[in-house]
């Protein structure tokens, strides 16, 4: 088991216990060659399938965008507002966020800021080259926005960073995050 | 076939437990054959069985790849419904639902035959100067080794083959993978 995998297991285990290839272009272009493992790509309106209101998602995205603007060149990555629950075929399912960056990440400090609006609790984790730092249990803001920061000091450069945000139990919230240097 | 005619320990173990609990026999059986005599009592383990080992993490990329550079920001747009399906590579094929059950039991995870997300989400990632960045949405699942064996009505293992669980999607873990290249 890889260190990253161990981190995932630790995080998930803890929560269960608690309850193209275009080249040389400057614009972003989708590779229109479908991945073989994709069975279907059908556009649909997200409101029909999300278990979290659009207002909460907008609230998180406004805060996240503001942080992006203020971070400027210190910005590393930004995860848009996503619902902690989705509705598939009439069934509500918790959705765990996991994004991975494979790139050179120089030594220094990195701050993961998680935004949560709704009900329930989330736990965030940031992992550099397999070493995980857990955030606290973040109570989402029922009538506003909750913000939680996790700071990691990297003494050596890393080549992989993973960000996970895991909703606990029946959490129904909009979740977004940013990672900035410094 | 090295495992042919090999006796399963499970039948004898079941008999031993039954004896301890209910006093169904006054003396220990002399052999497995006396516990499940051929033609008079079927073997409890008859059928095809799967064993999964050596799990590793796997990103199952779905839909479009978004590439941008050099430098700047790569932006992935939201997409519609995407499905990640389990897949195995083994001689004679396999029953996916049974493989999933074995996988989840062995590793304590929530793999599934098929995981669908109705809509994805836009995502931005900064690209280092002089580099090209690629973003793809997907399911964070696993891969593993796979063993399939068949037990006949006399509790004999009649065949054993080895293969791979090439894709085992998770029920609930989704997100983006960013990779950076020089060209």
């Amino acid at each position: 088991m890889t260190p990253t995998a161990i981190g995932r297991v630790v995080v998930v285990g803890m929560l269960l216990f608690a309850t193209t290839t275009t080249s040389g272009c400057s614009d972003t272009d989708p590779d229109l060659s479908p991945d073989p493992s994709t069975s279907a790509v059908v556009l649909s309106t997200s409101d029909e399938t999300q278990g979290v209101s659009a207002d909460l998602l907008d609230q998180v995205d406004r805060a996240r965008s503001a942080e992006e603007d203020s971070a400027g060149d210190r910005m590393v990555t930004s995860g848009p507002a996503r619902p902690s629950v989705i509705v598939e075929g009439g069934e509500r399912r918790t959705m765990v966020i996991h994004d991975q960056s494979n790139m050179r990440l120089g030594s220094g400090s990195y701050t993961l800021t998680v935004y949560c609006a709704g009900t329930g609790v989330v736990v965030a984790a940031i992992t550099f080259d397999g070493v995980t730092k857990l955030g606290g249990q973040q109570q989402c803001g029922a009538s506003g926005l909750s913000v939680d920061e996790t700071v990691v000091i990297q003494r050596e450069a890393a080549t992989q960073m993973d960000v996970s945000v895991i909703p606990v139990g029946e959490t129904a919230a909009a979740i977004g995050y940013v990672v900035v240097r410094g | 076939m090295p495992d042919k005619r090999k006796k399963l320990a499970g039948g004898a173990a079941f008999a031993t437990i039954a004896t301890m609990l209910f006093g169904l026999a006054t003396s220990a059986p002399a052999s497995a054959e006396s516990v499940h005599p051929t033609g008079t009592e079927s073997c409890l383990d008859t059928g095809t069985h799967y064993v999964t080992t050596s799990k590793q993490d796997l990103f199952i990329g779905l839909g479009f790849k978004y590439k941008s550079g050099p430098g700047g920001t790569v932006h992935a747009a939201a997409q519609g419904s995407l499905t990640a399906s389990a897949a195995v590579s083994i001689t004679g094929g396999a029953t996916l639902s049974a493989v999933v059950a074995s996988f989840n039991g062995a590793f304590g995870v929530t793999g599934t035959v098929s995981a669908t997300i109705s809509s994805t989400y836009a995502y931005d990632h900064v690209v280092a100067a002089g580099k090209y960045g690629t973003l793809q949405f997907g399911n964070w699942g696993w891969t593993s080794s796979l063993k399939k064996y068949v037990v006949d009505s006399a509790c004999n293992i009649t065949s054993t083959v080895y293969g791979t669980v090439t894709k085992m999607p998770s029920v609930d873990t989704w997100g983006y993978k960013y990779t950076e290249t020089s060209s």
Side-chain angles (χ1 to χ4, degrees), chain A residues 49-62:
Chain A
T49 58
Q50 292 173 349
V52 175
S53 76
D55 286 347
L56 291 176
L57 294 165
D58 288 344
Q59 192 176 350
V60 167
D61 264 337
R62 282 196 298 273

Side-chain angles (χ1 to χ4, degrees), chain A residues 22-28, chain B residues 67-74 126-133 178 180-183:
Chain A
T22 55
S23 61
C25 58
S26 57
D27 295 324
T28 299
Chain B
K67 184 172 182 177
S68 183
T73 300
V74 58
V126 172
V127 182
K131 301 284 188 179
Y132 293 82
Y178 172 79
E180 212 163 63
T181 55
S182 298
S183 61

Side-chain angles (χ1 to χ4, degrees), chain B residues 101-134:
Chain B
S102 169
F103 193 95
N104 290 345
F107 303 121
V109 298
T110 52
T112 180
V113 171
S114 178
T116 298
I117 189 165
S118 297
S119 58
T120 69
Y121 312 94
Y123 189 79
D124 293 318
H125 202 294
V126 172
V127 182
K131 301 284 188 179
Y132 293 82
T134 301

Side-chain angles (χ1 to χ4, degrees), chain A residues 25 28 40 80 96 98-101, chain B residues 69 75 81 122 125 140 172 176 178:
Chain A
C25 58
T28 299
V96 175
H98 180 183
D99 297 323
Q100 184 181 84
S101 300
Chain B
H75 173 77
S81 180
H125 202 294
W140 294 93
D172 56 9
Y176 279 94
Y178 172 79

Side-chain angles (χ1 to χ4, degrees), chain A residues 1-2 15 17-18 56 66 68 77 88 90 99 106 108 122 124 141 145 150 160 168 180:
Chain A
M1 184 181 284
T2 64
L15 293 172
F17 204 76
L56 291 176
E68 269 192 57
T77 185
E88 296 286 351
D99 297 323
V122 298
L145 190 69
T150 303
Q160 183 175 302
V168 177
V180 299

